[in-house]
Amino acid sequence: MDSRSPSPDLPSSPPALPSTFPRRKRARIDYCYDENTSSDPPVFSSDDGPEASIDNYVTPRKKKQYRGTWWDHQPVAEASNNTAAKVDLTRNVDSGVWMGSDGTDDSAASATRSSFGADTTMSEVADLPDEVGRVGCRAIAMLSPTASKLGAVTEGLARQIIEQCLDDGKEMVDLSDLSLTAISDATLRPLRALIRAPRAADAVLDSRRSSRSDSDLYAPFTPSLQLFLSRNSLRSLPRELWNLQTLTVLSLRNNALTEIPSAIANLRNLKELNLAGNRLRWLPWELLGLVASRGPLQRLTVLPNPFVQGTRFHGELAQQGHWRFPANPQKMEAVAAQLRLKLQHTNSPGSQEQFEWLLKLHEVYAERMREIGDSNREDNWFAPKIGVDYPLNLWKEDPVHLASTPVTFFTFDGRLERHSPPPPSTTPEDIRFLPSATRHTSTAAPQSVAHASRAPSLFELSLRTITSMPFSAPLSLLPLLPPDAPDSVVRALHTVDEAKQDNGKKCSVCGKGYVIHRTEWIEWWHCVPDSLVTGLDAIGVPFLRRGCGVKCSPYEGKLWDH
Amino acid sequence: MAQQSTDYVTLVSSDGFEFKLQRSAATVSGAIKRMLDPISNFTEAQTNTCTFENINGVVLEKVCEYLYYNEKHKNNKDVPDMDIPPELCLELLMAADFLDGESCTAVCLISNADTGLV
Ligand SMILES: [Zn+2]
C-alpha cells in the first residue's frame, strides 16, 4: 500500500486552518497609512468579512475633540459633566481608607515613617505650588467657579498653564488641584518642547568668575521639568507622560490611579516621584531600576496605597507598628542571631514568615557592612570601628528582595496556562494578601518548565515582526484576516498595537523586547534607603514582574540573590 | 498495511509541496504531535504524513524552518529572533495559532490536576 494514500476507513485529523486567506488582499498591505488610521484603536468587529475595508476601522481621533482653545469646548464639557460628578462621588466614598496624607500634613513628619516610603516629609519643597506662575490662570478659574469642576474645562485650564510655562520658559508646571479626571497626550505633548529660560548673562558672569568649561555654560539650558498633578482625580495617565525625558520631579499624589506602567523606566532623569494616596495595588518592577545606585531616583514616596501584602505582621511587632534597624555591623549580626532563634522557636507559619522577611533583611545588610569594612580597611578613608554607625547610603540604599508570589504561566497566545495560579495583576480589590514564598520556602520549578524550550514561539516571532514593521498600525491588519480568524489572533493584534504605542515592552528577566508575556509574579522589596525606622507596611512593597518566555521566571537562575 | 513510526515525517502543503523533517522537531507542535500520535488512529499516524489543506508551500517552508530553529535553540540562552518576512507574518500567525494548538511549548504545570486553580 502506498504510504501516502490514507486508508479510507480511518478518520482524518481535525481540519487545518479555518479558511483560506483572502489572497488578493495580501498584496494590498499598505505600510504607509494615513496618520489618522494609525493612532486610536478602532473598535474591532469580528463579523467583518474579507471585504471589510480599512475605512470601516477609521474612527475619529479623540485628539480632535479638544483641538482649539479650551473655551471652545462647552459641548464636550457638558457631555462629561455626569462622568465628572460620578468620579467625585466614588472618590469621596473611598478616600478615607487610604488617603491618609493630604496637602495639609505635608510637613508633619512622622517619626516612624521614612520619607522614602511614606508620604510625610517629602515635597515641602517639591509640592509647593508655584502660586506666582498660576495667578493668571487662577483668575480665569474664578470667573466661572462651577465650570472648573468640568473635566474638559479643567483640562483646558491645564493647557493654559502649560502654555504659559512654555512662554515663560518655566520648568515647574503645577497642575495640581484642578479637579482633572483625565489628561490627554495632546495636553502634555507641548512640554517636550520646553526650553529653560536662557540666563545668558548669569552664565557668562559665572564662567568668567570661576573659569567654567563650555559644558557647564550650556548645562543650564537643558530643562529639568517638574510636573505636579497632585490632588486631582486622575484614574489613568497619558502615554505622553513617559516620553517627557527631561522630567526630574513628578508628583501624582492623591489621585485615583490604579496602575503605573512599566514605561516609567523611560524617565532616566527622574529624581523625585510621589505616588502616595492612589489606588495602586503594586508598582511596576521596572521602577526599581531607577532607584538608588541603579538610577537617578532620590525620593520615592509610595505610601499610603492599598498595596497587596505578602505577609501579615503579628504579635509584638504588630503592636509596635514599625521596625528599627541597627546601624553598625555588630548590632546587625546580633539582631540577625535573635531573629534566627525566634524563627526556630516559632511554630505558626504566619509568624515564621514575618521573621524570615526580617532575617533576610538583616543578613543582607550585615553582609553589605562586612564588605564595606573589608574594602575600606586598607585605604583608611572610612575605617569602621567597633560600635561605629555606618552611613545609611553605604548599605541601605539598594533595595532588598524579600519574597515572591508563585509564578503564573501563560500560553503562547496569552491565555492562562492550565493549573497555573491566577495572575497577580487580576487580584480583586478586596483581597489584601497574596500567598508568597521566601528564598527558603520557594518551591522548585515545575518539571514541565524545566523541559520547555527557550526559543520564542512562532506566534510570538510573527507578532514581533509586526511590531517592527515601519509605518504600519497593527490594528490596520485586522481587515486582512479571514472572517473566521480565531479570537487568539485578533486579541494578539490588539496586544501588538498596545505594545507598539508603549514603544515596546522589555522582558524583566532577559531584557529582550517582546509582545505576549508568558510569566507574571509579584516580588516584595524593601526599598527605604534613607531611614533606620520603617513602618510595617513599608517593609515589603510589591512590584509586578513579567517575563517573555516560560524560562524567564524566578525558577531559572539567580533571581533570588542580589 | 500501516507503517510503523519513523524518525522522519512528511509535511505536505495545500499546493502539494512536501517537506521531510525529523519527528522530534516536528512534534514540538501540539497539533502535529496529536496528528501523528500512534494511539490516535488518525490517518496521519499511519502514514507519518501530515497534509495541511490551508497552509501553502511558502508558509509551510517557513514553519519547517521554525521547527528546526526551535530544535536547535531550545536549550540555548540568548536565542536570536528568527527572521520572518513581513508579508508572511499574518499567515504565519494563523498557522502558528493552529500548529501550537494547546501546547507547543507545553507547560503542563502540575501533574495532579485537581488543585482547583484554573
Ligand atoms: Zn525574557
Side-chain angles (χ1 to χ4, degrees):
Chain A
M1 189 182 188
D2 176 15
S3 67
R4 297 277 332 280
S5 65
S7 38
D9 51 345
L10 286 172
S12 179
S13 65
L17 291 175
S19 76
T20 47
F21 273 82
R23 301 229 131 259
R24 105 203 116 69
K25 286 271 174 178
R26 195 177 120 204
R28 297 220 310 253
I29 295 183
D30 183 358
Y31 295 119
C32 306
Y33 290 103
D34 174 7
E35 247 284 313
N36 282 336
T37 62
S38 68
S39 205
D40 265 24
V43 179
F44 175 73
S45 156
S46 54
D47 300 325
D48 277 313
E51 291 77 30
S53 102
I54 277 171
D55 300 335
N56 295 352
Y57 292 83
V58 179
T59 50
R61 303 177 81 184
K62 259 189 220 132
K63 207 160 97 181
K64 280 181 184 158
Q65 295 167 10
Y66 303 109
R67 199 165 278 168
T69 49
W70 66 271
W71 51 82
D72 289 334
H73 295 300
Q74 214 48 45
V76 183
E78 264 156 22
S80 66
N81 192 359
N82 287 337
T83 343
K86 225 184 288 167
V87 168
D88 276 352
L89 183 69
T90 2
R91 191 176 169 222
N92 286 339
V93 169
D94 293 348
S95 61
V97 183
W98 58 76
M99 305 233 176
S101 66
D102 215 331
T104 47
D105 63 339
D106 268 1
S107 53
S110 142
T112 59
R113 280 188 172 174
S114 150
S115 64
F116 207 85
D119 186 359
T120 50
T121 59
M122 172 194 170
S123 319
E124 274 168 43
V125 180
D127 250 346
L128 200 69
D130 186 10
E131 288 302 340
V132 187
R134 277 170 49 152
V135 166
C137 311
R138 287 288 181 214
I140 294 166
M142 270 175 229
L143 286 178
S144 53
T146 47
S148 71
K149 293 255 183 256
L150 306 174
V153 173
T154 54
E155 180 154 14
L157 194 54
R159 284 184 179 211
Q160 278 230 323
I161 295 171
I162 287 174
E163 250 170 62
Q164 203 166 41
C165 290
L166 285 172
D167 287 350
D168 303 347
K170 204 144 59 66
E171 299 158 287
M172 184 188 268
V173 180
D174 185 5
L175 305 178
S176 51
D177 289 308
L178 293 180
S179 308
L180 288 166
T181 52
I183 189 160
S184 67
D185 284 331
T187 300
L188 288 186
R189 198 163 291 129
L191 283 175
R192 277 204 220 181
L194 183 82
I195 298 166
R196 179 177 273 198
R199 270 166 285 183
D202 292 356
V204 171
L205 256 180
D206 276 1
S207 75
R208 282 205 197 123
R209 205 180 298 146
S210 57
S211 65
R212 282 194 190 183
S213 69
D214 273 359
S215 65
D216 283 339
L217 189 64
Y218 291 112
F221 295 95
T222 7
S224 75
L225 185 59
Q226 299 158 44
L227 181 57
F228 298 94
L229 285 161
S230 29
R231 296 183 300 275
N232 285 294
S233 304
L234 299 172
R235 290 169 164 257
S236 61
L237 297 164
R239 287 190 164 90
E240 182 62 26
L241 184 57
W242 318 116
N243 293 330
L244 298 174
Q245 303 270 354
T246 55
L247 264 182
T248 55
V249 176
L250 176 61
S251 177
L252 299 165
R253 198 160 57 104
N254 288 14
N255 278 285
L257 300 171
T258 54
E259 194 183 5
I260 302 294
S262 53
I264 195 166
N266 297 344
L267 303 178
R268 295 302 311 176
N269 294 302
L270 198 61
K271 292 194 177 75
E272 288 195 36
L273 175 65
N274 194 330
L275 300 172
N278 280 285
R279 300 180 185 178
L280 302 171
R281 308 299 315 275
W282 46 78
L283 299 168
W285 182 82
E286 287 72 13
L287 183 57
L288 280 173
L290 297 181
V291 167
S293 66
R294 308 149 180 231
L297 204 57
Q298 287 155 13
R299 277 177 183 276
L300 169 66
T301 312
V302 299
L303 287 173
N305 262 303
F307 287 133
V308 287
Q309 309 288 319
T311 189
R312 282 167 222 260
F313 290 96
H314 354 216
E316 264 177 73
L317 260 173
Q319 281 168 13
Q320 235 167 273
H322 64 272
W323 184 261
R324 178 180 286 276
F325 292 92
N328 70 64
Q330 293 77 27
K331 284 184 195 158
M332 193 66 83
E333 302 274 12
V335 177
Q338 280 172 21
L339 286 167
R340 245 173 255 127
L341 266 179
K342 279 193 175 166
L343 196 56
Q344 276 172 17
H345 296 289
T346 311
N347 293 323
S348 93
S351 295
Q352 278 178 342
E353 200 171 59
Q354 66 179 6
F355 292 130
E356 277 211 42
W357 282 41
L358 290 171
L359 178 59
K360 168 81 188 266
L361 272 174
H362 287 76
E363 283 179 350
V364 169
Y365 290 148
E367 171 69 26
R368 285 182 189 170
M369 287 173 164
R370 235 174 286 137
E371 278 167 19
I372 297 162
D374 290 347
S375 65
N376 292 313
R377 201 151 282 142
E378 283 127 46
D379 37 2
N380 212 25
W381 68 269
F382 170 73
K385 296 179 191 102
I386 289 188
V388 167
D389 285 357
Y390 280 34
L392 277 178
N393 64 331
L394 291 183
W395 56 275
K396 208 164 186 288
E397 201 170 48
D398 270 348
V400 180
H401 180 202
L402 295 171
S404 303
T405 60
V407 180
T408 298
F409 290 92
F410 299 90
T411 59
F412 69 92
D413 58 346
R415 284 169 299 124
L416 188 60
E417 190 73 63
R418 267 175 302 163
H419 314 310
S420 187
S425 62
T426 60
T427 309
E429 265 181 54
D430 56 329
I431 293 187
R432 286 192 58 223
F433 293 89
L434 282 180
S436 70
T438 62
R439 62 198 155 144
H440 298 303
T441 55
S442 72
T443 50
Q447 225 185 354
S448 47
V449 170
H451 294 307
S453 170
R454 285 183 182 276
S457 71
L458 181 58
F459 197 77
E460 171 74 17
L461 285 168
S462 308
L463 294 175
R464 288 183 194 173
T465 307
I466 295 175
T467 320
S468 57
M469 283 185 195
F471 315 120
S472 89
L475 288 183
S476 63
L477 300 176
L478 282 173
L480 305 173
L481 290 172
D484 50 354
D487 283 351
S488 52
V489 171
V490 175
R491 247 185 295 124
L493 285 180
H494 283 272
T495 312
V496 179
D497 188 68
E498 275 162 35
K500 196 161 179 173
Q501 289 188 49
D502 289 338
N503 293 322
K505 296 183 278 186
K506 284 236 155 56
C507 173
S508 80
V509 180
C510 70
K512 277 187 111 176
Y514 72 96
V515 178
I516 290 182
H517 56 264
R518 304 292 301 274
T519 56
E520 180 183 296
W521 69 100
I522 276 180
E523 293 180 353
W524 283 272
W525 288 72
H526 185 74
C527 186
V528 187
D530 58 353
S531 172
L532 288 175
V533 184
T534 309
L536 291 185
D537 50 351
I539 284 186
V541 171
F543 289 86
L544 186 77
R545 199 164 171 185
R546 284 173 173 157
C548 73
V550 171
K551 294 273 188 172
C552 286
S553 81
Y555 294 124
E556 281 288 311
K558 301 219 166 88
L559 291 185
W560 271 101
D561 301 296
H562 292 266
Chain B
M1 269 300 290
Q3 292 195 342
Q4 296 298 305
S5 295
T6 52
D7 283 349
Y8 281 82
V9 296
T10 309
L11 307 185
V12 185
S13 71
S14 59
D15 43 359
F17 288 95
E18 291 186 15
F19 301 88
K20 270 196 156 43
L21 71 167
Q22 273 177 341
R23 177 181 295 268
S24 60
T27 51
V28 156
S29 150
I32 295 179
K33 189 178 176 141
R34 279 193 297 279
M35 289 160 93
L36 294 174
D37 189 345
I39 60 163
S40 72
N41 245 8
F42 288 138
T43 314
E44 287 82 353
Q46 304 283 313
T47 60
N48 296 309
T49 300
C50 298
T51 305
F52 300 100
E53 294 301 337
N54 290 318
I55 304 182
N56 67 45
V58 183
V59 175
L60 192 58
E61 185 181 13
K62 212 65 194 170
V63 168
C64 292
E65 187 187 329
Y66 171 79
L67 292 171
Y68 270 123
Y69 157 90
N70 181 72
E71 181 83 352
K72 183 181 165 197
H73 291 292
K74 64 183 177 193
N75 295 318
N76 291 6
K77 289 202 167 174
D78 300 321
V79 185
D81 279 7
M82 188 182 101
D83 272 341
I84 287 178
E87 67 274 16
L88 286 185
C89 66
L90 273 192
E91 279 157 293
L92 274 168
L93 192 65
M94 296 281 287
D97 182 71
F98 167 72
L99 290 170
D100 269 358
E102 277 297 288
S103 54
C104 170
T105 42
V107 187
C108 182
L109 281 166
I110 306 161
S111 44
N112 42 338
D114 300 320
T115 54
L117 297 164
V118 175

